[in-house]
Amino acid sequence: AQSVSQHNHHVILSEAASLELGCNYSYGGTVNLFWYVQYPGQHLQLLLKYFSGDPLVKGIKGFEAEFIKSKFSFNLRKPSVQWSDTAEYFCAVNARGNNRLAFGKGNQVVVIP
Amino acid sequence: GAGVSQSPSNKVTEKGKDVELRCDPISGHTALYWYRQSLGQGLEFLIYFQGNSAPDKSGLPSDRFSAERTGGSVSTLTIQRTQQEDSAVYLCASSLVQPNNSPLHFGNGTRLTVT
């Protein structure tokens, strides 16, 4: 079964700083990749996804993620964060053809105004 | 349109009691998932329903946990003889499965506290 690793569980940074959250997965086959976000008091929602094609994926609110197949990675980036980006971010993976979605443990990101 | 609805939003129960958690998925979504979210542990897969197919129960942590989905819509997750380690937020999500790489739509969860 696939597994997902996220490092640096707690991240604190100032507004306008750049953000990069790492995500690595363990599965040798074709995968679908996702980043979900949970803002304080809200439900989980999709930030961006990769199924195929251009490995650089752009999502909502200025976020992007790059799929590097050779590194089994799907890191999330944002060049300049805002206070409203304070949230918990989850990377998720499912093997193509298998609908069971495996999540990482999440990154708690706090942006200081 | 309405999203995924879960009830109750909070549940406090005594150790040893049974609890039922309910999920109303988005209309037309054929796939339904239950996850458990514990502090610092991320989301733990519990069970997956897809249409009339046999559910994938491989994530259920013990035989005290069971779930059913009636009429391909509403789902209930039942925990029998609750233990303190069952305390967590139980999340339900639904998705379109055609194609089978559709994103999940999550409910707000049920926060279960076992005292």
Side-chain angles (χ1 to χ4, degrees):
Chain A
Q2 61 267 28
S3 65
V4 183
S5 297
Q6 292 180 245
H7 309 290
N8 301 321
H9 184 64
H10 290 95
V11 177
I12 301 173
L13 61 168
S14 300
E15 278 192 314
S18 64
L19 172 69
E20 180 161 359
L21 302 177
C23 173
N24 290 89
Y25 64 92
S26 63
Y27 181 73
T30 304
V31 294
N32 300 318
L33 299 154
F34 307 82
W35 276 95
Y36 282 83
V37 60
Q38 188 169 26
Y39 297 103
Q42 297 187 27
H43 61 270
L44 274 157
Q45 57 188 283
L46 183 68
L47 194 57
L48 49 77
K49 61 184 185 287
Y50 171 81
F51 295 153
S52 63
D54 188 345
L56 184 60
V57 178
K58 296 194 182 296
I60 60 172
K61 303 186 179 184
F63 284 89
E64 64 179 31
E66 185 175 12
F67 171 48
I68 302 179
K69 187 175 181 180
S70 61
K71 294 185 178 181
F72 298 89
S73 69
F74 189 56
N75 293 355
L76 180 71
R77 298 192 292 255
K78 184 169 182 177
S80 177
V81 295
Q82 300 174 310
W83 174 79
S84 58
D85 294 322
T86 294
E88 191 158 15
Y89 295 81
F90 294 91
C91 182
V93 176
N94 77 292
R96 194 68 59 84
N98 180 342
N99 288 292
R100 177 173 174 166
L101 194 60
F103 284 82
K105 293 188 175 183
N107 296 105
Q108 182 65 55
V109 175
V110 175
V111 180
I112 301 170
Chain B
V4 176
S5 177
Q6 291 188 245
S7 61
S9 55
N10 280 285
K11 177 71 176 178
V12 180
T13 189
E14 291 180 352
K15 177 182 172 180
K17 300 286 189 183
D18 298 350
V19 295
E20 271 193 5
L21 312 180
R22 177 187 168 102
C23 173
D24 283 271
I26 293 173
S27 178
H29 281 192
T30 58
L32 187 147
Y33 303 76
W34 283 98
Y35 283 87
R36 178 166 70 176
Q37 185 177 21
S38 304
L39 193 63
Q41 295 301 311
L43 274 72
E44 176 187 2
F45 168 81
L46 297 178
I47 188 168
Y48 162 68
F49 295 90
Q50 167 48 35
N52 295 321
S53 303
D56 176 356
K57 303 180 181 179
S58 59
L60 295 178
S62 78
D63 58 7
R64 296 187 295 106
F65 287 73
S66 62
E68 58 180 30
R69 188 179 185 191
T70 54
S73 181
V74 172
S75 177
T76 55
L77 176 69
T78 301
I79 308 174
Q80 295 179 309
R81 305 180 303 281
T82 52
Q83 303 294 314
Q84 288 186 330
E85 60 263 29
D86 299 335
S87 296
V89 176
Y90 289 82
L91 294 170
C92 177
S94 69
S95 73
L96 292 166
V97 184
Q98 294 297 335
N100 67 2
N101 50 12
S102 303
L104 271 60
H105 298 260
F106 283 86
N108 285 329
T110 294
R111 182 175 297 278
L112 175 66
T113 304
V114 182
T115 61

